[in-house]
Amino acid sequence: MMLPESIYGNYETAWCPGCGNFRILAALKKALVESNLAPHEVIFVSGIGQAAKTPHYLNANLFNGLHGRSLPVATGCRLANHQMPVIVETGDGCTYGEGGNHFLAAIRRNINITLLVHNNQVYGLTKGQASPTSDEGFITKAQPHGVYAAAFNPIAVAVALHAGFVARSFAGFEDHLTEIIKQAISHPGFALVDILQPCVSFNKVNTFAWYKNRCYRLPETYDPTDWSAAILKANEWGDQIPLGVISKNSRPPFEAHFDCLGHTPLARQQVDKAKLKAFITHYR
């Protein structure tokens, strides 16, 4: 029997009317109940930002940490209890900017967590500065002459580093996003879902219509296990933006390398006091 979406609650938010976060939250709730995950069976980790507020509007376990530092905490959560799905909810600035080093480390380790990045190509919480994914030439109050740096391409970076699961969706295609999130949660390894969304207050270029006119869904004939094809799709941006699972592989997850995990999470294992004392004595 499928859980009702109401089990995850319904809260008043601090988002602007028309923000893409509303549809992302709706898709996330659907993905959770369709994955038959109850609130106590999943943990969210977030940083700082409008996207990182998403778990605040859910009945679920949550660790809300520092800006850009959600992935290290999520890694610790997963290693402590590898039987509980761990979902990181964050934005493009938080993950690709402040947390860029942790983003690379999580991909290399292939830790079994799901990373949902709300990518609106701007810093929405701190009033509209350019983010790492802002297109070159993008004008803001903080960059009145336009952005000089090239935009960071998270999809291309993740594919190049052989991330376990790399996908993109759009907040305007709620059913598609729901399915992608479900696949990401079920993937046994690191899963990135880069979610394009409009920021109605601070990004007047990459609007709902801008994304909708450019985004297209990958055909069923596309093979995400073909790394060479994935590299090409990862670098496709502009007039055409591909949506779907762009790349995936069967690399063993980080947790599989530790025999001590076994079938019992660390959080539930009994401590052998004699061995612990001997360990402490040896390394003192």
Side-chain angles (χ1 to χ4, degrees), residues 42-110:
V42 62
I43 182 167
F44 284 85
V45 182
S46 66
I48 301 297
Q50 295 292 7
K53 291 180 181 179
T54 302
H56 297 187
Y57 311 131
L58 289 169
N59 294 328
N61 302 299
L62 166 64
F63 185 101
N64 196 174
L66 301 175
H67 201 193
R69 305 295 179 247
S70 52
L71 285 170
V73 175
T75 298
C77 291
R78 182 65 188 178
L79 292 177
N81 188 349
H82 63 286
Q83 292 181 351
M84 177 177 282
V86 180
I87 300 174
V88 175
E89 197 89 26
T90 183
D92 46 314
C94 194
T95 294
Y96 305 143
E98 285 79 0
N101 54 333
H102 302 305
F103 176 63
L104 298 179
I107 293 174
R108 291 174 52 230
R109 292 183 177 126
N110 199 34

Side-chain angles (χ1 to χ4, degrees), residues 23 28 34 119 154 175 186 198 239 268 270:
R23 291 195 177 188
L28 176 59
E34 290 179 15
N119 186 355
D175 290 342
S186 65
D239 293 335
R268 297 175 185 163
Q270 296 296 318

Side-chain angles (χ1 to χ4, degrees), residues 20-171:
N21 286 329
F22 287 103
R23 291 195 177 188
I24 296 175
L25 176 59
L28 176 59
K29 286 182 179 180
K30 289 181 182 178
L32 290 169
V33 298
E34 290 179 15
S35 299
N36 202 32
L37 288 171
H40 70 281
E41 295 175 321
V42 62
I43 182 167
F44 284 85
V45 182
S46 66
I48 301 297
Q50 295 292 7
K53 291 180 181 179
T54 302
H56 297 187
Y57 311 131
L58 289 169
N59 294 328
N61 302 299
L62 166 64
F63 185 101
N64 196 174
L66 301 175
H67 201 193
R69 305 295 179 247
S70 52
L71 285 170
V73 175
T75 298
C77 291
R78 182 65 188 178
L79 292 177
N81 188 349
H82 63 286
Q83 292 181 351
M84 177 177 282
V86 180
I87 300 174
V88 175
E89 197 89 26
T90 183
D92 46 314
C94 194
T95 294
Y96 305 143
E98 285 79 0
N101 54 333
H102 302 305
F103 176 63
L104 298 179
I107 293 174
R108 291 174 52 230
R109 292 183 177 126
N110 199 34
I111 185 74
N112 192 350
I113 60 178
T114 300
L115 174 61
L116 305 180
V117 182
H118 301 213
N119 186 355
N120 55 21
Q121 300 182 256
V122 74
Y123 278 94
L125 182 67
T126 50
K127 310 307 182 220
Q129 302 96 323
S131 85
T133 57
S134 297
D135 289 323
E136 194 168 353
F138 182 68
I139 296 174
T140 74
K141 291 180 180 178
Q143 290 88 16
H145 301 293
V147 175
Y148 296 133
F152 179 74
N153 186 335
I155 298 293
V157 170
V159 173
L161 291 178
H162 298 276
F165 181 99
V166 184
R168 179 191 282 130
S169 191
F170 168 47

